[in-house]
Amino acid sequence: MLSVSEEELASAWVAEVSSTLGGRVSRVEVERDLRELYAALLAALGQDGPDAHGEGFSEVRALLTELSRARARQGFSPTETAISVFALKKVLEPALAGGEAQDLRAYLELSGLLDALGLFTVEVYTRTREELIGAQAEQLLELSTPVVKLWDGIVGVPLVGTLDSARTMVVMEKLLQTLVETGSEQAVIDITGVPAVDTEVAQHLLKTVVAARLMGAECTISGIRPQIAQTIVALGIDFGEIVTKATLADALRHALRRSGTTLTTAPVAGQN
């Protein structure tokens, strides 16, 4: 069925798919992808019959994988992606006008094949979107856990939002790496932007402090607001020998003193 009026069917397929993409993919690109897919489909049918999972369809699956991943990265929906396959069924419908039993049987076989290939594109699309979302989540996680140099020998980790296991691991890795790169022996972990501290969050903080201590660095935790202090006491959480301060400024002063830096305070205007 596909080999009859090959040029006409391929052109109709390109036109049908292009009309569903809203101009977000050029007609030249659509034609290149679909004509290559059409040729591979004809070759696979001649070799393996209508078996989407057969070895003869490896090239078809490879082309569909490339197309599906491209559509996922371009922000198309699963439907817009699968229509690149399903549209061929619509293009073939006029061939049934004669009502020949042989044509109908061939169409039904080909329709089942296209359904399987369409589902394959959705599966690849879904995996690609999950990969993209995962990569974006990792990037956001890294951006939300910066480690900055506050002073010579002192680094700071300003935390904002919920602190969970995954984020703690990122904080720990970035903090330890920065300690090595800068040779710092003092670290300030500021939790002013952490909405609440429970037992789990406290355990994550303790792990980070212990890891830094093993690297020879002392950690100071700042941003202990009254509400958080009350919660810590109520939960019976023991920070042991870890120094805690109410503000980042207090923690920085402490870290500077511990590093041997002498601070001088400028006189306030009007005072002798």
Side-chain angles (χ1 to χ4, degrees):
M1 179 176 285
L2 289 178
S3 58
V4 179
S5 304
E6 178 179 339
E7 178 62 30
E8 182 180 342
L9 288 175
S11 297
W13 189 19
V14 170
E16 183 68 27
V17 173
S18 296
S19 67
T20 67
L21 300 179
R24 287 179 287 170
V25 180
S26 69
R27 175 68 177 255
V28 174
E29 183 178 348
V30 173
E31 184 156 4
R32 182 197 64 206
D33 292 342
L34 295 188
R35 285 189 178 277
E36 190 175 5
L37 183 58
Y38 194 95
L41 189 57
L42 280 177
L45 284 169
Q47 176 182 343
D48 223 22
D51 180 8
H53 304 288
E55 184 177 347
F57 276 82
S58 58
E59 178 65 18
V60 174
R61 292 193 297 270
L63 291 172
L64 286 176
T65 296
E66 184 178 343
L67 184 146
S68 300
R69 293 182 68 84
R71 294 289 187 271
R73 288 191 291 266
Q74 292 164 341
F76 287 94
S77 69
T79 299
E80 290 171 320
T81 302
I83 202 67
S84 295
V85 176
F86 293 141
L88 184 55
K89 294 170 64 175
K90 184 176 181 180
V91 170
L92 291 171
E93 287 177 1
L96 301 176
E100 295 291 337
Q102 183 178 354
D103 291 340
L104 179 59
R105 188 162 50 251
Y107 176 83
L108 291 176
E109 288 183 353
L110 188 57
S111 179
L113 170 66
L114 294 176
D115 286 343
L117 293 176
L119 291 176
F120 176 79
T121 65
V122 174
E123 291 174 359
V124 175
Y125 173 94
T126 302
R127 288 197 301 270
T128 303
R129 289 297 297 172
E130 289 174 350
E131 292 170 3
L132 291 173
I133 292 171
Q136 291 169 353
E138 289 182 6
Q139 292 173 357
L140 289 174
L141 191 58
E142 292 185 0
L143 290 173
S144 66
T145 53
V147 179
V148 297
K149 184 177 180 179
L150 299 178
W151 206 274
D152 288 339
I154 304 174
V155 297
V157 186
L159 297 177
V160 178
T162 303
L163 191 64
D164 56 16
S165 299
R167 193 174 179 203
T168 300
M169 187 62 65
V170 174
V171 171
M172 191 181 301
E173 290 176 356
K174 294 185 69 174
L175 175 58
L176 297 182
Q177 184 63 35
T178 304
L179 289 173
V180 171
E181 293 173 351
T182 62
S184 301
E185 295 184 352
Q186 295 291 323
V188 176
I189 301 175
D190 184 66
I191 62 171
T192 304
V194 177
V197 174
D198 54 18
T199 303
E200 184 178 6
V201 172
Q203 290 299 323
H204 291 325
L205 289 173
L206 291 174
K207 289 178 182 178
T208 303
V209 172
V210 170
R213 186 176 293 167
L214 290 173
M215 297 290 296
E218 177 185 355
C219 286
T220 303
I221 298 178
S222 65
I224 306 292
R225 303 187 302 277
Q227 299 90 335
I228 289 181
Q230 292 174 5
T231 301
I232 291 174
V233 172
L235 292 173
I237 300 171
D238 183 12
F239 274 18
E241 299 177 357
I242 300 173
V243 179
T244 60
K245 297 294 181 179
T247 66
L248 178 58
D250 291 338
L252 181 56
R253 289 193 191 94
H254 173 79
L256 287 168
R257 284 197 298 269
R258 295 287 294 172
S259 65
T261 302
T262 302
L263 292 178
T264 57
T265 305
V268 179
Q271 293 185 357
N272 295 323

